[in-house]
Amino acid sequence: MQKELKVAQIGHKFIGKAHAYAYSNAGFFFDLPVRLRKKVLCGIGDDLGKIAEQWGFEESTQDWKEAVQDQEVDIVDICAPSKIHKEIALEAAKQGKHIFCEKPLAMNMEDVREMLAAVEQAGVVHTVGFNYRKVPALAFARQLIQEGRLGTIYHFRGLYSQDWLTNPQFPLAWRLRKEAAGGGSSWDLGAHVVDLSRYLVGEIEEVVGQQTTFVKKRPVAKYEDGLTAIAGEELGEVDVDDASSFLSRFEGGAVGLFEVTRYGTGHRNQNQIEIYGSEGGVIWRGFEKMNELEYYRTKDPATSQRYRTVQIGEADHPYVSAYWPAGHIIGFGDTFTHEIVDFVKAIVNNIKASPSFEDGLKTQAILTAVDLSVAERRWVSISEI
Amino acid sequence: MQKELKVAQIGHKFIGKAHAYAYSNAGFFFDLPVRLRKKVLCGIGDDLGKIAEQWGFEESTQDWKEAVQDQEVDIVDICAPSKIHKEIALEAAKQGKHIFCEKPLAMNMEDVREMLAAVEQAGVVHTVGFNYRKVPALAFARQLIQEGRLGTIYHFRGLYSQDWLTNPQFPLAWRLRKEAAGGGSSWDLGAHVVDLSRYLVGEIEEVVGQQTTFVKKRPVAKYEDGLTAIAGEELGEVDVDDASSFLSRFEGGAVGLFEVTRYGTGHRNQNQIEIYGSEGGVIWRGFEKMNELEYYRTKDPATSQRYRTVQIGEADHPYVSAYWPAGHIIGFGDTFTHEIVDFVKAIVNNIKASPSFEDGLKTQAILTAVDLSVAERRWVSISEI
Amino acid sequence: MQKELKVAQIGHKFIGKAHAYAYSNAGFFFDLPVRLRKKVLCGIGDDLGKIAEQWGFEESTQDWKEAVQDQEVDIVDICAPSKIHKEIALEAAKQGKHIFCEKPLAMNMEDVREMLAAVEQAGVVHTVGFNYRKVPALAFARQLIQEGRLGTIYHFRGLYSQDWLTNPQFPLAWRLRKEAAGGGSSWDLGAHVVDLSRYLVGEIEEVVGQQTTFVKKRPVAKYEDGLTAIAGEELGEVDVDDASSFLSRFEGGAVGLFEVTRYGTGHRNQNQIEIYGSEGGVIWRGFEKMNELEYYRTKDPATSQRYRTVQIGEADHPYVSAYWPAGHIIGFGDTFTHEIVDFVKAIVNNIKASPSFEDGLKTQAILTAVDLSVAERRWVSISEI
Amino acid sequence: MQKELKVAQIGHKFIGKAHAYAYSNAGFFFDLPVRLRKKVLCGIGDDLGKIAEQWGFEESTQDWKEAVQDQEVDIVDICAPSKIHKEIALEAAKQGKHIFCEKPLAMNMEDVREMLAAVEQAGVVHTVGFNYRKVPALAFARQLIQEGRLGTIYHFRGLYSQDWLTNPQFPLAWRLRKEAAGGGSSWDLGAHVVDLSRYLVGEIEEVVGQQTTFVKKRPVAKYEDGLTAIAGEELGEVDVDDASSFLSRFEGGAVGLFEVTRYGTGHRNQNQIEIYGSEGGVIWRGFEKMNELEYYRTKDPATSQRYRTVQIGEADHPYVSAYWPAGHIIGFGDTFTHEIVDFVKAIVNNIKASPSFEDGLKTQAILTAVDLSVAERRWVSISEI
């Protein structure tokens, strides 16, 4: 008889939906060594029960402790607001549950260190929601780099552009208040780009940055849901950054150029990654073109060199052979499926998951260094943090 | 208590997997008026039971009649080989089941007419698997056309290019034998393009075509699975077309240019649709770029006119608001979800589904006219068929 | 002392300007064995003298016979209206001048045959203005094909889309009257695509086509210049085709798909050429992207296959090393420079130019076959013409 | 009788050729109020006379003073090595000649200040070779910004990537030695991007940067010409930067992100400019796509918003109406023609040219601030320079 892993998921908004989708589809597409059961969905709001049913959870509860302490539960999946990540994770570790926690792990370095210590002490498997690693095109980029097919890496560029704040009349949503969001564009978008840079190129040594709040006062929101919000009449202050840019140096000698912004007019969700090496280069253009990787080889004949837009979907590309024949793309939600697949395999094989809370900590250290660099207007070494 | 619809699905290969995915996810993303239950999966092979379990079916059987005659079953979903579509559909109609049948409905006009007569007489809801209609970008293109935003339509171009036969050593797979496949590229790929042209532009009046078999003999396959096959030593004859092109005239005066091929080197699955009208144009570039629609307005100022690549994902685009915020794409499998959603709504509201078997018949008539045109080397009017 | 070739150019409108540009720049960029002198510009209109001076001609005249009979003149360059091509060419041949004649050579097959006979009898070097052959990207495509790097050719597609007639209120310009233009889109645009198909793939054996005039009556023009025109109040009849499509079969077994239109909404001047072979494919997207050639190799590893957009400009690409370092493009006018360079070399070496009047004749035969096919609604063999 | 301006051009390599091309073609395409005469070409080397003849100069000389002091000469055009710009410019100013000087004006701020003082005192018209301003797409971008069509500007990104140093075995060409080149990528490529940022967005207030030399030792060149060079056996030290990145703040509150590199693998000459504002955005992708401008309007309806790739060539776009109908592109050389056209108009109308030596000075100040920032690892205000 096949073993099961039972899941308690805390959070049922945008990212919660993606997690639930992943638990539904991981076993459908991939041959998992265990069966996943969506045991309980935890959240707040009148529609919780309806959503739990629609998403295929067996139960629902408004009390996260009850869910985490449930003896039957094997996995605690945390996609609740960042402010309560730590408290849930500590309890889950105490209960011996494996933990999947969304990014950012917590609001500051101390909390993250505490969380990492707790999961290590408990001996549970832990992972953090850097789902870009699970985009097949980016996993393939890493293969190319690991196999030396780009040679020595010179440049990393990560430019993440959203545009939902372009209009100065857009309301002061919760993401624009430090108290609720913990940080601005740097923490929200920058976390993904920094993790990717580590995944693809290696460790960062030092940074210097600049952060800007272009529109300092915005109408307070009368109503908000996800990235949708309706402006009220009063004005309130934006106390997080709208955009954050920084320069970095990697251990291997490569240089990094980072910019994340919510004012990248016309780009709903573009995350452009460029990596240039002595034997090749790759460019990825974000979730809207997530199944494409542009690839250049210096060894092609000069008359027919140039970037080719590889459509990820061939049998030997990571993850995708579980889906459809070449030429039939997968979507955003499927990257969460890959997170679950890898997490489940780590649990079953009792190995460290990738990315782990340690990766979460390292990324948080870099973002903290950027903040310090901005505050003190100087280069900051990651080792200072 | 919520009503249920129970499904018997016949077929568990590539397209069967897409159907099963759709039954799993339709209720997850969309607020359906009924609950869908995957009652029974029917297929042939030792792994049927395992697949049924992995896909979430309650039962499995190798006997399609048993599945179709099951009193509890409400929907019969036919994604078995085309040769047995008719027999299954007739039995399902007799049993009063609603029917979702993959394209092509059958191997010739007589069979399709018989199937249409049967479902109409039985009064069941029927739909055919032209899933391109359910691509949000194409559904949006139809909206633009229906609202007159392209003006009078002048041109339709549909160029469907796959490249799995480019290599003359690729084996003689079942799709290359008329007895098994019913037809070649024209029937396989052409059906989608022709249905789309009807969906977007209207009825075709007459056609003239050309069909070619570039490589007449190929190694017989020792092994095959989907589009993968391994060559044996003997040679066998290809008796279907490798590529098919035709010109057409639409009722409204527009002209059509069609080409489908399995020799479109470098294109795994490109299906380029171009529509040009007096007030605008749209271009769609196939499943690899399924979330994009290029759109041109003649009324933009001359200095800033040109095609913009609209990323389908805004709240007011068809289907997509059920998924993620703008900038996070969906995949190939989701078009099947939309088929199921629309089919279920038609059942619940007891209305005609779109596309119906009648659409299947009309497309088959056009493809039959193309075949006749090729055989007799002349223009053929659809009314002759 | 360096030898000179003295040019008499008949015609000073759009294409005349391109020819004059070419005579100015051929010797600037390329090491020509002779010096080119712009001796005389012939045309009609008050501004002729001013234009001749601006373009660097030594003299001007309104009498083309005077220019052609000038004893000092070596080259007669005919970019006058098509109706008078024949008369000028016959006189030039009689005078022993080398001839560069714009396309179409003449209004019908008989006239073209007469012109070809005349230049052959006179023993002069002759060329026709199919300047697409001189686009470096297309000359490079031909190299790839000749070297076998695309393998056996299966498909040729040539889709030429302009959009200046999209608006039904655009006036009845001279290009829309058969008496003045000789033909419609087929003759004007189709000539280029047909010549390219011969240059790249080989001879065409038979064709079947369709031609349409979408807007049958248009306002008579009060004023017109080039593609600009101002509508008057009266309506007049369009008696040429707006769009022309045809299917073809090449000698080597490849199939051809052609469409030319002046109703390709949003495309000012797109001429998309696609060629698919057993070992590779190339795509070229017209003058707006004239320095790019998309190229695919079947021999690349499956995980990194796909079209790369080769930027033509490397040292070993045809023509371009005469200009700038890689990464700095050339423009439309420069294709005329290449025509002149090749023509001058043919004159100096006393060899046949490419393309010659014979090429002009062959293209005209194919377009004539298309016309016949449309008139008689049947396949027409080129050998019938 | 028409007035003439006679030109003495100092320099006959890559950029010299572009200048000569421009003097040949400015009057051909544009209605200039005066006639341009290529009086004398000055350079070093045995082939000078041949080149002067090929380019249409009346005379040649190896002695630049002779050329500059020629009483008939009106314009001195300096495209000689940067080291001697100052000396020539001072002499030309003394002689009362109008001056077109290539960038960088000189090797340091003092020299540039001296040059500016000299031309202002002499009352001659002066311009500097920032030819990107003369790319029609970028001149059009400036129009859009000036007309407020992008609203308040938030972001400027300028990423200039060449790839000729990607290979560590490429020789130590003169551009890699400070003594010969004055600086590395920052001075060579950065000058263009910085000038563009001022032209499009406005003045920069402060910067912080990073510069890297990835490959510190390279084979000394046995032979070099332009960007081509052949490696010898000895190694020599690279003493300029290979890549330079910096962050900036503009006066109006916009932020800037700059990176220039000679290690941008696969990019021969990509110069990507992105500008994001409250009402729109524009993206330009460098000389390889110089006739395209991607443009986004926030006011388009949400369902059909996105960047459109405007093909520059419409009648109302800057410069291009002098050439061909829409859809027929111009090339790199033509941007130099526009420089000459604007310079000649400034001379004739006795107004300040754009860009002037003052623009040259301001750009040099910013690049000097970047150098200082790198040396002292801190933010530097431009006002410090």
Side-chain angles (χ1 to χ4, degrees), chain D residues 18-224:
Chain D
H19 285 233
Y21 171 84
Y23 288 113
S24 294
N25 287 286
F28 183 98
F29 286 110
F30 293 83
D31 285 322
L32 294 185
V34 294
R35 202 165 160 263
L36 289 167
R37 266 179 60 193
K38 285 173 282 185
K39 182 87 174 26
V40 54
L41 180 68
C42 175
I44 289 166
D46 294 343
D47 56 355
L48 177 66
K50 179 172 172 293
I51 291 175
E53 192 190 338
Q54 191 164 3
W55 291 357
F57 282 87
E58 297 167 12
E59 306 158 27
S60 66
T61 174
Q62 309 234 7
D63 177 358
W64 67 257
K65 276 199 186 141
E66 185 191 334
V68 172
Q69 292 168 353
D70 184 333
Q71 290 308 305
E72 286 195 40
V73 161
D74 303 293
I75 290 172
V76 170
D77 183 303
I78 308 172
C79 33
S82 310
K83 276 200 294 191
I84 58 170
H85 282 184
K86 182 177 90 165
E87 194 182 353
I88 302 173
L90 294 185
E91 180 64 30
K94 190 172 144 195
Q95 298 291 334
K97 314 297 193 194
H98 305 297
I99 306 176
F100 180 172
C101 185
E102 261 305 324
K103 44 77 40 184
L105 284 178
M107 310 291 270
N108 56 59
M109 288 298 291
E110 293 66 42
D111 286 358
V112 177
R113 284 196 182 103
E114 196 178 338
M115 288 164 77
L116 175 58
V119 293
E120 286 184 339
Q121 196 181 347
V124 297
V125 177
H126 45 96
T127 195
V128 56
F130 291 132
N131 66 316
Y132 280 74
R133 293 187 179 212
K134 311 301 179 180
V135 171
L138 293 169
F140 178 57
R142 180 169 152 105
Q143 276 183 16
L144 290 173
I145 293 168
Q146 296 284 316
E147 291 166 5
R149 289 161 68 183
L150 302 196
T152 304
I153 303 302
Y154 300 128
H155 283 281
F156 174 89
R157 288 183 190 155
L159 309 174
Y160 195 154
S161 306
Q162 295 187 340
D163 73 348
W164 54 288
L165 292 185
T166 301
N167 178 356
Q169 300 311 312
F170 186 90
L172 187 68
W174 70 265
R175 276 190 170 82
L176 303 186
R177 287 177 289 112
K178 193 184 183 86
E179 174 268 331
S185 67
S186 179
W187 282 63
D188 182 18
L189 309 181
H192 281 301
V193 188
V194 166
D195 179 66
L196 261 185
S197 76
R198 292 185 55 248
Y199 176 62
L200 294 171
V201 176
E203 298 300 337
I204 286 175
E205 287 180 334
E206 55 175 359
V207 295
V208 67
Q210 167 173 235
Q211 290 172 355
T212 310
T213 305
F214 295 109
V215 176
K216 269 118 195 152
K217 284 182 189 302
R218 287 179 174 273
V220 172
K222 286 198 298 206
Y223 166 83
E224 60 177 299

Side-chain angles (χ1 to χ4, degrees), chain B residues 154-155 157 161 166 206 210 212 248-249 255 259 261 265 267-268 276-277 288 305-307 377, chain C residues 154-155 157 161 166 206 210 212 248-249 255 259 261 265 267-268 276-277 288 296 305-307 377:
Chain B
Y154 301 128
H155 283 280
R157 288 184 189 153
S161 305
T166 301
E206 55 175 358
Q210 167 173 234
T212 309
S248 78
R249 189 169 296 272
V255 297
E259 187 163 79
T261 180
T265 315
H267 302 299
R268 296 298 184 274
Y276 302 125
E288 297 184 339
Q305 270 181 337
R306 282 305 163 110
Y307 279 87
R377 289 175 59 82
Chain C
Y154 301 128
H155 283 281
R157 287 184 190 153
S161 305
T166 301
E206 54 174 359
Q210 168 172 234
T212 310
S248 78
R249 190 169 296 271
V255 298
E259 187 162 79
T261 179
T265 315
H267 302 299
R268 295 297 184 274
Y276 301 126
E288 296 184 340
Y296 176 90
Q305 270 180 336
R306 281 307 163 106
Y307 279 88
R377 291 175 56 85

Side-chain angles (χ1 to χ4, degrees), chain B residues 166-184:
Chain B
T166 301
N167 179 354
Q169 301 309 313
F170 186 89
L172 187 69
W174 70 266
R175 276 190 171 83
L176 304 186
R177 288 178 288 112
K178 193 183 183 83
E179 174 271 330

Side-chain angles (χ1 to χ4, degrees), chain A residues 72-103:
Chain A
E72 285 195 40
V73 161
D74 304 292
I75 289 172
V76 170
D77 183 305
I78 309 171
C79 33
S82 312
K83 276 198 296 191
I84 59 171
H85 284 185
K86 184 178 88 163
E87 194 181 355
I88 302 174
L90 293 185
E91 181 63 30
K94 192 171 143 196
Q95 300 290 335
K97 315 297 193 194
H98 305 298
I99 307 175
F100 180 173
C101 184
E102 262 304 325
K103 42 83 28 186

